[in-house]
Amino acid sequence: MKRHETTQVRVGNLTIGGNAPIRVQSMTNTDTADIEATTSQIAALAKSGSELVRITVDRKEAAKAVPYIKERLDGLGVEVPIIGDFHYIGHTLLQEFPDTAQALDKYRINPGNVGYRAKRSDQFSRIIEIAIQYDKPVRIGVNWGSLDQELLTQLMDENASAPAPLETQSVLHEAIVQSALQNAKLAQKMGMGADKIVLSAKVSKVQDLLAVYKMLSARSNHALHLGLTEAGMGIKGTVSSTAGLAILLQQGIGDTIRVSLTPEPGQPRTTEVQIAQEILQSLDLRHFTPQVIACPGCGRTTSTVFQELARDISDHIREQMPQWRSKYPGVEQLDIAVMGCIVNGPGESKQADIGISLPGTGETPAAPVFIDGKKAMTLRGDRIADEFKTVLAGYIEERFGG
C-alpha cells in the first residue's frame, strides 16, 4: 500500500502529512470557558494517545479561557497541540484576543459558515491573515451539514442545464470538494504556504466519505484529515467509522484521523481515541499497544477463565502503556495470545511472542505457555491467570528492559 503524497504541515511540536505517521486526533466536549474541565479532558485525551486535540472557541468567554488552558497544560507537562474550532465569528475572536491566536497551535475554519455572501471572502481572509501573522497552520474543514449553499446552488443549476446531468449526490460531492479546494487556493493566493494547510470533507455516510476523499486526494496534495462526522453511538458509530476510514487508509489516503463517536452515557471521551488507534493498528499502519490475540470461545470453552484473562491483560496493558512507552521501547510491537482450548491454542500461542493455551471443557487442567515459538512451561492449579501475568511481566522486562 503506497501512501498518497501530501505536503507536510507542522502543528505545534508535531508533523503531519508527507511521510509522517498517520496521527490520531480528538475533540473535547466540555465548555471551553470551563478552564478546569477542559484542561482535565485534554490531559486525559492526550494520555490516552490523542496526538492533537481540538477545542470549541465559539464565544468571548471561550476565547478568553484558551491561554489559561494552555498555561495549565504546560504546567502538567502536557504538550499536545491544541486546535481552535471556529464558526461564524472566528475572525472577530482571533482579532479581539491575540493571546488566544498565539496560544493555539492551529485554526479550524469551516468555509460554509465563516460568513455569508459578500462577507464570506472577507471574513475568511481575515482569519488567514491572522494565521499568517502568528505563523499558524489552518484546517479548511468542509462539512456537508453546513455547506456553502451559494456554491451548491450554482453547481446544481449548471448540472440541471447540462446535456447529461449527474445525479444529485454527485453534484453534492463536487460542491464539497470545490469548497475545500477553492478556499485553499484563496489562502495560498494571500501568501499562506501549502505547508500550512490541511483539508477535510466531513460527511456522515460511508459511501459519501469514500467518494469525496478520493476526489480530494486526486485533485490536491494538501494534507488530509479523515473523519466520519456524526458517526453515531456505540457499535453503529464504531463500525461506520472503521468501515470508512479503513478503506481510505488502505488506499493510502489520510494523514490524521478522528473517530467522531457519540459517547454512551457515562462513557469516557477517550473511547474515540482508543478506536482510532485500533483502526491504525489493525491495518498494521501504526502500533500503540501490544496486541492481545484472544480465542472467541465455543462449546469447548464453557469456562470463562480465558475471557477474564484476555480482558485483564488488555486492561492492564492499556493502563501501563503511558509508563511502558518510555521504560520499554518497542513493547507496542508485542503479540500476546490468550487461547481457550487445545484445538488452535498451542498453534496460535506459538505464532505469538508469548502465549498461553488454557484448558477447555473436559481437558486436562494444564496450560502450556509458549515464548518465542517454543514451549517454555506448563502452568497448573487455581492460579494459572496470576502466574501467567507474572511470566508476561518478566518477559517484557527481559526483552524490552535493556
Side-chain angles (χ1 to χ4, degrees), residues 154-176:
Q154 174 193 331
L155 293 180
M156 286 292 189
D157 289 344
E158 291 174 359
N159 184 64
S161 59
L166 301 173
E167 293 183 1
T168 299
Q169 203 70 356
S170 296
V171 181
L172 177 61
H173 295 164
E174 179 63 25
I176 292 170

Side-chain angles (χ1 to χ4, degrees), residues 281-299:
Q281 184 147 328
S282 67
L283 293 170
D284 215 20
L285 294 171
R286 291 188 68 184
H287 292 269
F288 299 94
T289 63
Q291 190 82 4
V292 179
I293 303 157
C295 168
C298 67

Side-chain angles (χ1 to χ4, degrees), residues 155-315:
L155 293 180
M156 286 292 189
D157 289 344
E158 291 174 359
N159 184 64
S161 59
L166 301 173
E167 293 183 1
T168 299
Q169 203 70 356
S170 296
V171 181
L172 177 61
H173 295 164
E174 179 63 25
I176 292 170
V177 172
Q178 280 201 28
S179 179
L181 295 178
Q182 287 178 6
N183 282 279
K185 186 176 181 179
L186 175 57
Q188 287 184 278
K189 188 177 180 180
M190 293 181 62
M192 176 168 280
D195 63 341
K196 295 292 185 182
I197 299 173
V198 179
L199 301 182
S200 68
K202 296 292 190 74
V203 294
S204 57
K205 293 183 179 179
V206 172
Q207 293 298 342
D208 295 304
L209 184 82
L210 301 179
V212 295
Y213 274 100
K214 287 177 183 177
M215 293 167 69
L216 264 181
S217 65
R219 292 159 61 175
S220 164
N221 287 326
H222 289 296
L224 298 178
H225 170 68
L226 306 185
L228 193 71
T229 191
E230 295 111 20
M233 183 179 288
I235 293 175
K236 186 269 178 188
T238 301
V239 172
S240 295
S241 291
T242 303
L245 296 182
I247 292 172
L248 291 171
L249 291 168
Q250 184 63 23
Q251 294 177 356
I253 299 171
D255 300 293
T256 67
I257 65 170
R258 182 194 171 202
V259 175
S260 300
L261 197 67
T262 303
E264 299 272 7
Q267 182 186 64
R269 190 66 165 176
T270 53
T271 300
E272 68 174 49
V273 177
Q274 184 177 344
I275 294 169
Q277 289 180 328
E278 290 292 348
I279 292 171
L280 292 173
Q281 184 147 328
S282 67
L283 293 170
D284 215 20
L285 294 171
R286 291 188 68 184
H287 292 269
F288 299 94
T289 63
Q291 190 82 4
V292 179
I293 303 157
C295 168
C298 67
R300 298 177 64 95
T301 54
T302 53
S303 167
T304 61
V305 174
F306 80 96
Q307 298 168 339
E308 293 162 0
L309 181 57
R311 180 197 60 202
D312 290 351
I313 289 175
S314 295
D315 291 347

Side-chain angles (χ1 to χ4, degrees), residues 6-221:
T6 58
T7 303
Q8 281 197 339
V9 179
R10 188 76 178 172
V11 184
N13 60 358
L14 206 67
T15 299
I16 64 175
N19 58 1
I22 297 166
R23 305 295 188 180
V24 173
Q25 184 171 315
S26 60
M27 184 176 184
T28 59
N29 60 357
T30 56
D31 178 0
T32 306
D34 186 336
I35 295 170
E36 291 295 336
T38 304
T39 301
S40 177
Q41 191 172 85
I42 292 171
L45 289 166
K47 183 180 179 182
S48 71
S50 182
E51 295 164 291
L52 302 103
V53 178
R54 182 159 51 111
I55 63 174
T56 298
V57 187
D58 58 344
R59 64 194 197 282
K60 291 184 177 182
E61 290 78 9
K64 287 179 182 177
V66 170
Y68 297 100
I69 292 169
K70 190 76 171 180
E71 182 179 325
R72 296 198 182 192
L73 289 170
D74 289 342
L76 294 171
V78 178
E79 297 180 353
V80 64
I82 305 301
I83 303 162
D85 194 51
F86 294 100
H87 301 273
Y88 306 109
I89 58 170
H91 60 292
T92 301
L93 294 175
L94 286 168
Q95 194 165 354
E96 189 172 341
F97 298 96
D99 288 348
T100 295
Q102 180 62 57
L104 291 167
D105 295 288
K106 179 180 165 193
Y107 311 153
R108 187 269 177 141
I109 314 170
N110 184 339
N113 58 30
V114 72
Y116 297 97
R117 296 187 174 87
K119 292 183 178 180
R120 177 178 291 110
S121 179
D122 177 62
Q123 293 177 181
F124 176 86
S125 297
R126 285 164 67 186
I127 296 178
I128 296 299
E129 287 172 351
I130 294 170
I132 293 172
Q133 178 185 348
Y134 291 100
D135 195 29
K136 304 294 182 178
V138 300
R139 170 157 71 93
I140 298 171
V142 181
N143 190 306
W144 74 346
S146 51
L147 185 58
D148 181 345
Q149 292 302 301
E150 289 180 69
L151 175 60
L152 179 59
T153 300
Q154 174 193 331
L155 293 180
M156 286 292 189
D157 289 344
E158 291 174 359
N159 184 64
S161 59
L166 301 173
E167 293 183 1
T168 299
Q169 203 70 356
S170 296
V171 181
L172 177 61
H173 295 164
E174 179 63 25
I176 292 170
V177 172
Q178 280 201 28
S179 179
L181 295 178
Q182 287 178 6
N183 282 279
K185 186 176 181 179
L186 175 57
Q188 287 184 278
K189 188 177 180 180
M190 293 181 62
M192 176 168 280
D195 63 341
K196 295 292 185 182
I197 299 173
V198 179
L199 301 182
S200 68
K202 296 292 190 74
V203 294
S204 57
K205 293 183 179 179
V206 172
Q207 293 298 342
D208 295 304
L209 184 82
L210 301 179
V212 295
Y213 274 100
K214 287 177 183 177
M215 293 167 69
L216 264 181
S217 65
R219 292 159 61 175
S220 164
N221 287 326

